[in-house]
Amino acid sequence: MFKTALTLAALLAVPGAAFAQTSEAQPPLDKREKRTDAPPISAYKIILVGDSTMAPGSGWASVFCAYHVKSNVACLNMGRGGRSTRSYRAEGSWDIALGEAKAPGYAKKYVLIQFGHNDQSTKAERWTDLNTDFQSNLRQMVLDVRAAGAVPVLVTPLSRREFRGGKLNNTLAAWADAVRKIGVETKAPVIELNRDSAKAVEQLGAVEAMKLAMAEPLPEEVAAGKAGTTLRPRPAPESPPASTLPKTGPRGRIAPKFDYTHVGEGGAKVFAKIVAYDLAVAIPELSSQLLP
């Protein structure tokens, strides 16, 4: 507060500063246009539902909302780390998302759905079977979104950036195929993020693709990438103890980690741009509301 007060005082002391008084607060009535009411707005809403590769701090969706939609688009990132089609529904996050999809006042609402990474997991509350409940969960999500009065958009899962023998090891290819299958079956638009992110990563190569991660790679990880086969991902670092956090102000933390799945700001920019382009192609009527 003390530094702020000094800065304001210095500005006020400068002749012609921004704080100088003007002769009139606004033009007189005879210099203003005759008042009319603004026409009704055509507002849109995009709700992003998925896992940590979409979530704030570790995914692409917050950058998408920040840089790739126009001002009359409400863009809500509801991606959450560690969630699958099963756990996102079981914990109640899906019901919250549907509540957002039911909100009135929008010309059209869209729900982008991206899962697969944690459906592939072995953790008890996360995993689903690729050929049964993963697909049935997605199918039900499409039906739920339509019942809520919104447009469902399926997103194939973001590619991991693991390499084997000099080639990308796209461990989510089969899950992307399952998403496409449900898209065809339900006639829901599909964003080909797995296909296009895999192409981008392959073009970069193992070492350059490491720059898309949340944290810097170690020398041995870079060396392995140069040799053509990436090392196993590092475990996530421990969160700082509460005693090291500030006593006031924001206290939440996202521990940056190096792996081949999550993305930092650079990676988020790369993949958010892909999503914006693919969404405009999948839903042409939305293209005028999206920025490249």
Side-chain angles (χ1 to χ4, degrees):
M1 290 295 292
F2 182 65
K3 288 183 179 178
T4 302
L6 282 179
T7 303
L8 291 174
L11 283 170
L12 287 167
V14 177
F19 293 95
Q21 297 294 316
T22 58
S23 59
E24 55 185 34
Q26 71 178 119
L29 283 173
D30 60 357
K31 293 185 178 180
R32 305 178 216 168
E33 293 182 1
K34 183 179 179 181
R35 188 158 61 182
T36 60
D37 289 334
I41 188 174
S42 281
Y44 301 85
K45 190 173 192 178
I46 299 176
I47 303 163
L48 300 125
V49 168
D51 55 35
S52 56
T53 62
M54 182 185 272
S58 61
W60 54 265
S62 291
V63 167
F64 172 84
C65 289
Y67 295 111
H68 293 287
V69 299
K70 293 176 70 173
S71 62
N72 56 335
V73 177
C75 191
L76 179 59
N77 182 6
M78 297 188 67
R80 306 192 198 282
R83 271 61 168 195
S84 68
T85 57
R86 181 167 176 260
S87 61
Y88 197 91
R89 292 160 58 88
E91 71 182 7
S93 286
W94 183 239
D95 289 335
I96 296 172
L98 289 177
E100 294 289 345
K102 294 174 183 175
Y106 296 95
K108 211 143 192 185
K109 298 162 288 186
Y110 304 86
V111 181
L112 274 60
I113 305 166
Q114 181 209 270
F115 288 100
H117 297 83
N118 296 300
D119 289 82
Q120 194 181 46
S121 168
T122 59
K123 292 194 174 182
E125 78 281 5
R126 299 182 185 180
W127 70 265
T128 64
D129 183 86
L130 171 61
N131 297 310
T132 56
D133 46 346
F134 176 66
Q135 296 185 35
S136 63
N137 289 345
L138 286 178
R139 189 180 297 111
Q140 188 60 51
M141 285 177 158
V142 168
L143 296 175
D144 290 346
V145 170
R146 286 176 175 156
V151 178
V153 182
L154 297 174
V155 184
T156 58
L158 180 70
S159 173
R160 291 192 173 92
R161 303 179 299 281
E162 299 170 349
F163 280 74
R164 297 288 180 271
K167 294 183 179 181
L168 180 68
N169 182 30
N170 190 355
T171 57
L172 286 151
W175 298 83
D177 286 341
V179 174
R180 295 183 190 105
K181 176 184 174 183
I182 299 304
V184 171
E185 178 187 317
T186 61
K187 295 181 172 57
V190 175
I191 293 177
E192 288 285 359
L193 181 56
N194 184 265
R195 179 196 68 193
D196 294 341
S197 61
K199 285 181 182 178
V201 171
E202 285 177 326
Q203 289 174 358
L204 287 170
V207 175
E208 284 298 307
M210 291 180 183
K211 296 177 181 178
L212 306 181
M214 297 174 70
E216 294 290 326
L218 297 173
E220 55 266 35
E221 290 165 333
V222 174
K226 288 180 178 178
T229 299
T230 50
L231 299 180
R232 291 180 62 83
R234 271 185 260 156
E238 292 185 8
S239 298
S243 59
T244 66
L245 299 176
K247 296 192 185 319
T248 58
R251 303 182 81 239
R253 293 292 182 271
I254 296 174
K257 58 183 176 180
F258 176 82
D259 62 17
Y260 309 99
T261 301
H262 304 94
V263 297
E265 184 178 358
K269 287 180 177 179
V270 169
F271 299 127
K273 189 178 183 70
I274 288 174
V275 171
Y277 180 87
D278 286 355
L279 180 57
V281 171
I283 305 182
E285 65 188 35
L286 191 57
S287 61
S288 64
Q289 306 305 316
L290 299 171
L291 301 173

